[in-house]
Amino acid sequence: MLNILPLILIILPILSQIILGTFSIYKPTSFKFSIISWINFILQIILSFVAFNIADYNLAKLYEPNPVRCGMPLVGMAVACFFFLFILILVIVIQFLAKRWAKKKV
């Protein structure tokens, strides 16, 4: 379970933004779009650190008897965290533009 957990943690804010952001666009009385976006942005940063630490722990347990290990999987994890942060920002911008377009249409 710890092998897939870092990936789940860094994808979770994106899924939350897609679901709750779309819900706030079409039913604006329930949630505010800006609060959902900020919460998911901060959650993405926090969960990226948690996912990185879990991946580091998994790698340390894999090479437990040897103190020297390759750090390339951790570089891949860090790049994945930045990539998913970029995807989250892109989703927020697209949803914001869709919200403005829906307001202009009405």
Side-chain angles (χ1 to χ4, degrees):
M1 181 64 187
L2 285 178
N3 292 334
I4 194 85
L5 188 63
L7 183 62
I8 292 172
L9 287 177
I10 60 175
I11 290 177
L12 192 64
I14 296 171
L15 294 176
S16 172
Q17 177 65 38
I18 290 171
I19 294 168
L20 294 175
T22 304
F23 191 70
S24 72
I25 289 172
Y26 294 112
K27 294 190 179 188
T29 58
S30 58
F31 297 117
K32 293 192 84 171
F33 180 75
S34 61
I35 293 174
I36 291 172
S37 299
W38 277 109
I39 287 172
N40 284 320
F41 183 76
I42 292 169
L43 196 63
Q44 179 72 39
I45 293 171
I46 292 170
L47 289 180
S48 292
F49 283 118
V50 171
F52 188 81
N53 287 332
I54 290 173
D56 185 37
Y57 175 77
N58 290 341
L59 198 60
K61 284 295 180 184
L62 185 65
Y63 293 109
E64 193 164 67
N66 301 329
V68 179
R69 66 177 196 246
C70 178
M72 202 55 135
L74 295 177
V75 172
M77 188 70 191
V79 169
C81 290
F82 284 120
F83 176 72
F84 283 116
L85 183 65
F86 173 73
I87 296 296
L88 178 68
I89 292 170
L90 190 67
V91 167
I92 291 172
V93 168
I94 290 171
Q95 285 182 339
F96 177 73
L97 292 175
K99 183 178 179 180
R100 283 186 50 196
W101 181 70
K103 276 187 178 179
K104 190 183 288 186
K105 189 177 177 181
V106 171

